[in-house]
Amino acid sequence: MIDLFNRTIDYMRISITDQCNLRCVYCMPQKIRSLAETEILSYEEILRVCTEAVPLGIHFIKITGGEPLLREGVPDLVRQLKNMAGISKVSLTTNGVLLSRYLDALCAAGIDGITISLDSLDSERFRLTTGYTGLDSIIQEIHESLSRHIKVKINTVLIDNGGEPEWRDLVELARVLPLDVRFIEMMPIGYGRAFKGVAHDRILRGLHKTYAGVTEDRASQGAGPAVYYRIPGFKGAIGFISALSHRFCHTCNRIRLTAEGMLKPCLCYASGIDLKAILRDPDKTNEAISQALMEAVAMKPAAHCFTPTPQTPEGSLETRAMVAIGG
Ligand code: SAM
Ligand code: SF4
């Protein structure tokens, strides 16, 4: 699918739950009333959407949440997606807490990549950010995933607390391990609005000062929003997903399906299409699902509106927490 701004849309992020077992301060600092089981799309419904999305050009699927591994049956969902002709990559974004329980089954299902969110390598800072004391077990799961030759990415959201943000230790992970460390700028969505993020130019300047020969790696760029850099001697790359400081919308290649079945054309806007209503209407055919997917792509705005202007329509901004959208 090509949208109105000539962007190819081939990637769908599918959130399978709005529940989480962590309490990241910028995402879900306290328990939020979660959706009833019946309000969440079943795996059958998700697969039906994907069956319609693939012929329209969706080839990459990311399973997200909330914490996706809280929902039973993720490996089986991965296996069914991988068996769907036309889907070339299925990956998962997780906080890693439950990964040990599912890693073998995810491998057997053919998972192509796992992104693990990790905001600090310091146990106490990690606990303060996530409410979780098991940093070591998550690091262990990173090693376990790599030992199974799974493509691993680390996603880091840094908070500006006034001092030097913790990027050095995280960058050093990519020296010794064959994984990409990606810094995501804090987005003013949900609880993220209360925090100041770290502008990526600051980290990039630090990279250039600390390491010789840092170069942008256009070959690793892919179709998504991350911009990658290589450091000589490092096994992995360093990526920046700079939603705010370098608006990345011109490279946007995605649509989102929330756990409650809303098709979202853009992370930042509240607008979307209620796909669940279509899926559960016995009078609607698969044609209506394809139509909704094409409409969502046609609705994609040129750019996000994280810094609203006087022209931003009243009430158009997303008010849901990130945990309910899927990142
Ligand atoms: N629970 C899983 C995890 O943490 O990876 C998947 C869902 S989580 C919502 C997906 C990603 O969104 C995480 O990497 C998280 O750090 C990021 N995220 C959450 N709130 C954010 C915000 N306000 N700005 C930027 N990234 C955010
Ligand atoms: Fe949970 Fe992921 Fe949000 Fe943290 S970022 S609260 S792990 S959904």
Side-chain angles (χ1 to χ4, degrees), residues 20 22-24 26-28 65-67 95 323:
C20 192
L22 295 193
R23 293 289 173 265
C24 299
Y26 53 81
C27 182
M28 189 191 189
E67 173 46 42
N95 59 32
V323 70

Side-chain angles (χ1 to χ4, degrees), residues 44-327:
E44 289 71 27
E45 288 168 329
I46 289 172
L47 290 165
R48 194 174 157 211
V49 174
C50 292
T51 306
E52 296 308 311
V54 169
L56 296 175
I58 297 292
H59 303 306
F60 306 108
I61 302 284
K62 170 82 83 186
I63 298 170
T64 177
E67 173 46 42
L69 293 179
L70 279 176
R71 185 161 171 183
E72 291 285 315
V74 177
D76 207 41
L77 175 66
V78 171
R79 187 183 52 74
Q80 294 191 67
L81 288 168
K82 286 288 293 178
N83 284 341
M84 214 176 260
I87 290 190
S88 47
K89 224 186 252 175
V90 180
S91 59
L92 174 81
T93 293
T94 172
N95 59 32
V97 172
L98 296 174
L99 203 46
S100 63
R101 201 180 289 174
Y102 293 108
L103 201 48
D104 287 334
L106 287 167
C107 276
I111 192 93
D112 293 292
I114 299 183
T115 300
I116 300 172
S117 297
L118 183 65
D119 294 344
S120 176
L121 288 172
D122 175 273
S123 305
E124 180 55 8
R125 236 172 303 164
F126 184 78
R127 185 189 67 78
L128 288 172
T129 305
T130 64
Y132 187 58
T133 51
L135 172 65
D136 288 350
S137 66
I138 292 170
I139 292 171
Q140 176 68 25
E141 289 319 306
I142 293 172
H143 287 278
E144 291 289 336
S145 303
L146 289 170
S147 73
R148 287 161 171 80
H149 306 288
I150 297 175
K151 170 89 185 143
V152 175
K153 294 177 187 169
I154 303 297
N155 272 358
T156 297
V157 176
L158 294 178
I159 298 172
D160 186 351
N161 287 321
E164 172 70 357
E166 181 194 344
W167 58 267
R168 290 172 195 275
D169 292 353
L170 289 152
V171 162
E172 282 292 324
L173 271 185
R175 184 199 290 273
V176 288
L177 299 175
L179 47 70
D180 295 343
V181 174
R182 302 163 354 135
F183 294 95
I184 304 179
E185 268 175 358
M186 178 78 69
M187 297 178 221
I189 286 198
Y191 295 94
R193 286 199 187 91
F195 293 90
K196 187 168 174 224
V198 176
H200 284 163
D201 287 352
R202 187 168 163 195
I203 303 172
L204 190 55
R205 274 198 302 276
L207 277 190
H208 282 294
K209 262 194 204 158
T210 311
Y211 306 103
V214 175
T215 47
E216 191 175 333
D217 180 7
R218 290 183 189 274
S220 300
Q221 213 80 347
V227 176
Y228 287 98
Y229 289 81
R230 291 269 165 198
I231 304 175
F234 276 49
K235 293 184 173 164
I238 309 300
F240 294 97
I241 301 179
S242 314
L244 289 127
S245 62
H246 295 275
R247 208 181 247 207
F248 51 41
C249 302
H250 60 287
T251 61
C252 188
N253 62 341
R254 60 202 57 197
I255 48 176
R256 293 175 164 80
L257 182 61
T258 70
E260 60 180 329
M262 280 287 286
L263 254 183
K264 270 184 75 64
C266 175
L267 184 60
C268 156
Y269 288 94
S271 60
I273 295 176
D274 184 358
L275 202 51
K276 185 170 63 186
I278 298 173
L279 286 160
R280 295 188 181 175
D281 182 340
D283 293 333
K284 300 273 193 221
T285 61
N286 289 343
E287 178 63 31
I289 300 170
S290 302
Q291 201 60 44
L293 287 159
M294 288 188 283
E295 267 172 48
V297 168
M299 281 164 68
K300 276 182 74 64
H304 68 63
C305 54
F306 287 135
T307 319
T309 65
Q311 285 75 43
T312 309
E314 192 77 23
S316 65
L317 301 185
E318 180 58 86
T319 52
R320 278 172 290 200
M322 195 70 111
V323 70
I325 305 170

